[in-house]
Amino acid sequence: MPAAAMRDPLVDRYGRVHRDLRISVTDRCSLRCTYCMPEEGVPWLARPTMLSTEEVVRLAGVAVSMGIEEVRLTGGEPLLRRDLVDVVAGMAALDPAPEISMTTNGIGLDKNAPALLAAGMTRVNVSLDTLRRDVFIALAKRDRLDGTLAGIRAAADAGLVPVKINTVLMRGVNDDAADVVALLDFALEHGYELRFIEQMPLDAQHGWDRSQMLTGEEILAKLRTAHELTPQTPEERGSAPAELFMVDGGPATVGVIASVTMPFCGSCDRVRLTADGMIRNCLFATGETDLRTPMREGASDDELAALLRSSIAGKLPGHGINQPDFLQPPRPMSAIGG
Ligand code: SAM
Ligand code: SF4
């Protein structure tokens, strides 16, 4: 593909330069993690509203021409999208090509990892909340722990590295200190980078309760029952959302993403595209900018770029979770893309 004419970067009113595009390629999922959606699922997006391979690659191309350097595919479960390898290949053919990664529950990755690597994906984050089958079933409502573990292994074997593991803890479900330490030991043993994410108010059932949320501090206390953790300096952290800790003197690290108790909105460089073609300038935005309708009505790339720019121009300074008037967005995490 010929080199795209570069446009001005995506800078918002607070000087934040946007370089990271998260694309939800589907809202469907093979699991039902309690912190994300109810066991019966949610009303899925209507198929005709979902972006085609060509549409999603085109919009990524517009974003890349505005300085987006990294594209993360997510969902829902991205591996449920049959054309995923084609989506990756299309993005890898953009010029300049963004770095392409994926956040996945890992189920099915054992079959796809080499093809995704060959298409141009460089690394994956796999979500794993427990190593215990009974707890996995209680939390994700599906007996698929083996599938997730096979996916993690396959990603590492294929070279989709570093493999990062995302863990969300729920009080009284998967927060037993010994089990949390076992997750870290598993990651250390295999060379995976483990990061704990504070549970956020993004579940479809609107059941999030601050008093039930495990804070980053509580998570660290559990890990410290078995390991010595030394924090990184702020300079080492940069704009990364995860605060990293050296484990037992390093070099291995463990991360905590304390989005609720220690928001990092001031250095946010992310923008999101939903599977039905809406731009969201924040996980918690209550408004969206429709790119699908104008695109299908014949908008030019310049017009789509202007819409993307207007969305970023309206980005708020922070997510506001800790303010009394906070309202959870109507769209759940599975349809936004985490
Ligand atoms: N299905 C894929 C997966 O689970 O990795 C990708 C989509 S999932 C929405 C992306 C990430 O968001 C996962 O790591 C998941 O654990 C996290 N997540 C989902 N709901 C969350 C919530 N309410 N709070 C914090 N993280 C959440
Ligand atoms: Fe599916 Fe990921 Fe949500 Fe779990 S967190 S239900 S795997 S989209």
Side-chain angles (χ1 to χ4, degrees), residues 29 31-33 35-37 76 105:
C29 194
L31 296 181
R32 297 288 183 270
C33 306
Y35 50 70
C36 185
M37 62 169 101
N105 63 30

Side-chain angles (χ1 to χ4, degrees), residues 29 31 33 35-36 73-78 103-106 125-127 129 166-168 197-203 208 333-334 337-338:
C29 194
L31 296 181
C33 306
Y35 50 70
C36 185
L73 304 179
T74 177
E77 179 42 51
T103 300
T104 172
N105 63 30
N125 286 16
V126 186
S127 302
D129 299 321
N166 290 354
T167 302
V168 177
I197 309 174
E198 278 181 352
Q199 188 186 349
M200 297 179 280
L202 286 170
D203 56 311
W208 183 83
M333 181 70 131
S334 56

Side-chain angles (χ1 to χ4, degrees), residues 109-111 113-114 149-160:
L109 191 52
D110 51 339
K111 297 182 190 68
L149 293 176
I152 292 173
R153 259 192 316 273
D157 290 348
L160 287 168

Side-chain angles (χ1 to χ4, degrees), residues 29-34 37-41 44 139-142:
C29 194
S30 42
L31 296 181
R32 297 288 183 270
C33 306
T34 314
M37 62 169 101
E39 185 162 5
E40 64 277 14
W44 309 121
L139 196 153
K141 313 293 184 221
R142 301 285 188 270

Side-chain angles (χ1 to χ4, degrees), residues 138-151:
L139 196 153
K141 313 293 184 221
R142 301 285 188 270
D143 188 1
R144 311 286 299 264
L145 173 62
D146 289 348
T148 293
L149 293 176

